[in-house]
Amino acid sequence: MFGVSTDFGGPATDDVTHLRSLDQVARAVAGYAAYALEATGTPGGVLALGDSTGRVIELAIGWSNLAERTRMTPSLPFPAGRLGALVIGMAANRLAAQGVVDLNQPVMRYGVQIENPLGRRPVTLRDLLTHRSGLCADTFEATFTAGPVSVEQLAGPSARAPEYGGSRPRWCSPPGQRAEYSSVGLEIVVRTLAAAVDAPFAEYAHDELLAPLGLDRTSWPLAGPTPSLWQPKMTGYMVFGDTAVPTPTIRARTSHSAGIETTAGDFVRLLTALLPGSNTPDSAELTAGLGIEVRDAGSPMHSYGCSGSYPYGWWSTGRAFPALDLAVTAVGNAWNMRKYDNLSGCWASLVADKAAELRADDQSNDLVGGTDSEIAGAVAAERIFGLLGVTEHLPHHELERIAEEACPLPHRTSADWSRAEFMAGLEWLEDAHTPAQIEHKLAARPELAEYLDLVRRRWGAGPLMLDPEYRA
């Protein structure tokens, strides 16, 4: 099992009495986080929680480097990719409020010579911040050597997106017509803001946004004078089934929009500054979606923030939940190479969402999930007695035999298996045949149902309980 180290950092202060305290959330999420590492094939991760008082709890779990057997620690910076959009959005909003820039004016007004060849009007900062400039969705300008590149070169009228040898035009629609995330688009915003303040963006962001909050572990190393020397300090892994391969060092020429490096603690402190009641100048200024993602508006789970990735080794998420007085940042150092988009099933997303759910749940009992063996037994019962419709009980001697003869596959060196827990899981669900009966059983064991989704991810299967076509 993975080791967990937690920094509870100071006295607890929680004025919202109907919510779990940060300490309670951290304790409740720890077991889930450990199991989620195994389910998603992630070597290690860091979760940071904060509120409007500025208090932060950091939880580190698993391994930062498998070959060296180095434990994950909260202080390790990681390449955060798209998380940098939050800082870019904050800078743009602040400069707009100060009258330094006008978000509705063409970027050419600030000396950045970008023009959409398909458009009937010029591209504005607002277009770029909301990803409606007409630039097509992209990854980023990847390189091993990290030489400088101009945005005018990247986004010229005849420019091509980098994927698969430039198979698509860089510009795909007129301004304002549709939203497509663009790393180059945010890089144009950065160059525009830098021109407006007559200073490098990294310098401005540090002096005006990061340093006042005491954030000293966030930077843009690929925008510095020696980008080719940058090496990630947290090892990332390309995961192929049961094998984790270290990620080669890929550097981004879009050095600000994709090249931010931060820690979970630093980024959650940035998010706490945006929570209502934090008494900072930027509190709640970014809820309009300028440079960030807004989710579940109008609901208790309303949040704003960013999800980030850096190919092919890190997935991260950072979100502020104003109704919960909660900021969450999580990062895991794995990329499931079976597919490009890992966001919905990555460790960071799962654990961040779970932390928010636990914050909103004022029940005192923590969720402690069933073991793999117990869950395997429950799944076997659902497939046999539910999906196949077998009405007899499995003879006890047959149940004992299959539990006793369970073995790891030849390519696995070991497997945790409990004969007794497998039998208990199967016997627990063998009298449930209809969807209503199965759901009733699951409702009585919410901690077990909670972990079934993680097992589905671990086993690479579709829905394990009650396939949708059989629910009716």
Side-chain angles (χ1 to χ4, degrees):
M1 182 56 68
F2 297 92
V4 180
S5 63
T6 308
D7 174 15
F8 287 96
T13 55
D14 194 341
D15 298 328
V16 188
T17 56
H18 67 283
L19 300 175
R20 286 187 185 224
S21 70
L22 291 185
D23 300 88
Q24 290 172 330
V25 172
R27 294 188 180 100
V29 81
Y32 179 89
Y35 198 95
L37 281 188
E38 298 180 8
T40 58
T42 304
V46 179
L47 172 68
L49 309 169
D51 60 21
S52 60
T53 69
R55 183 165 181 259
V56 170
I57 294 174
E58 297 174 271
L59 180 153
I61 182 169
W63 306 94
S64 66
N65 188 287
L66 294 171
E68 299 174 2
R69 306 301 287 175
T70 304
R71 291 281 184 181
M72 187 68 77
T73 60
S75 61
L76 273 179
F78 63 93
R82 191 177 174 182
L83 290 193
L86 178 70
V87 184
I88 296 171
M90 289 178 66
N93 275 271
R94 175 173 289 197
L95 291 173
Q98 295 171 347
V100 178
V101 297
D102 186 333
L103 301 183
N104 298 312
Q105 289 295 317
V107 295
M108 289 190 293
R109 173 177 174 177
Y110 302 97
V112 180
Q113 300 304 311
I114 295 297
E115 185 174 0
N116 184 336
L118 306 176
R120 301 183 184 91
R121 63 170 176 80
V123 174
T124 68
L125 277 170
R126 189 177 298 277
D127 291 329
L128 294 163
L129 286 164
T130 57
H131 301 287
R132 294 180 177 274
S133 66
L135 288 163
C136 71
D138 60 7
T139 52
F140 61 72
E141 297 296 314
T143 176
F144 294 127
T145 55
V149 65
S150 72
V151 291
E152 289 83 1
Q153 176 186 348
L154 293 177
S158 59
R160 313 288 293 183
E163 298 81 13
Y164 297 107
S167 60
R168 296 173 301 143
R170 177 72 78 181
W171 298 96
C172 59
S173 62
Q177 188 175 91
R178 68 188 193 208
E180 294 201 39
Y181 178 83
S182 172
S183 173
V184 168
L186 290 180
E187 198 70 18
I188 295 170
V189 172
V190 166
R191 305 295 174 88
T192 304
L193 299 181
V197 298
D198 193 26
F201 178 81
E203 178 182 309
Y204 169 83
H206 174 268
D207 293 346
E208 299 296 327
L209 299 174
L210 305 179
L213 297 174
L215 310 185
D216 57 2
R217 294 179 290 180
T218 299
S219 63
W220 290 265
L222 293 171
T226 56
S228 293
L229 299 181
W230 172 74
Q231 296 282 344
K233 298 174 182 64
M234 179 192 294
T235 304
Y237 289 93
M238 303 181 290
V239 176
F240 302 88
D242 293 330
T243 303
V245 179
T247 303
T249 302
I250 300 172
R251 299 175 175 91
R253 284 200 174 101
T254 43
S255 55
H256 296 92
S257 60
I260 191 172
E261 189 173 65
T262 189
T263 66
D266 251 24
F267 202 81
V268 90
R269 288 178 176 89
L270 186 65
L271 287 166
T272 62
L274 303 179
L275 288 169
S278 64
N279 298 317
T280 66
D282 295 296
S283 177
E285 289 295 324
L286 295 181
T287 56
L290 296 178
I292 65 168
E293 306 161 1
V294 178
R295 297 181 184 172
D296 302 317
S299 82
M301 299 302 288
H302 166 59
S303 69
Y304 40 88
C306 293
S307 298
S309 63
Y310 200 88
Y312 288 105
W314 302 266
W315 282 88
S316 55
T317 188
R319 309 202 67 80
F321 296 82
L324 303 180
D325 188 33
L326 176 70
V328 180
T329 298
V331 57
N333 62 343
W335 192 301
N336 182 346
M337 296 299 283
R338 289 181 298 178
K339 54 185 179 179
Y340 176 74
D341 185 358
N342 284 239
L343 178 59
S344 62
C346 73
W347 183 86
S349 180
L350 292 170
V351 174
D353 287 347
K354 176 53 58 182
E357 292 171 15
L358 289 167
R359 173 72 158 176
D361 180 5
D362 62 356
Q363 299 300 311
S364 59
N365 294 327
D366 297 345
L367 295 177
V368 180
T371 66
D372 275 4
S373 303
E374 183 183 18
I375 291 171
V379 171
E382 193 271 349
R383 298 282 125 151
I384 295 170
F385 304 106
L387 185 58
L388 291 184
V390 176
T391 56
E392 305 99 329
H393 282 191
L394 185 67
H396 194 73
H397 71 274
E398 179 78 342
L399 177 56
E400 287 186 321
R401 180 186 67 81
I402 64 174
E404 183 66 34
E405 295 181 6
C407 298
L409 291 170
H411 69 280
R412 298 290 297 272
T413 57
S414 64
D416 294 326
W417 182 257
S418 167
R419 170 178 171 272
E421 289 169 359
F422 174 81
M423 294 172 63
L426 192 146
E427 291 177 328
W428 168 68
L429 211 58
E430 67 180 347
D431 287 322
H433 302 286
T434 68
Q437 290 170 341
I438 294 169
E439 289 180 333
H440 178 73
K441 285 278 191 176
L442 291 176
R445 292 284 307 277
E447 77 288 352
L448 185 60
E450 186 72 34
Y451 282 63
L452 285 167
D453 180 59
L454 294 178
V455 169
R456 174 178 66 81
R457 299 173 195 279
R458 183 176 188 180
W459 293 347
L464 288 172
M465 291 285 173
L466 300 174
D467 287 336
E469 59 264 33
Y470 293 104
R471 279 184 178 273

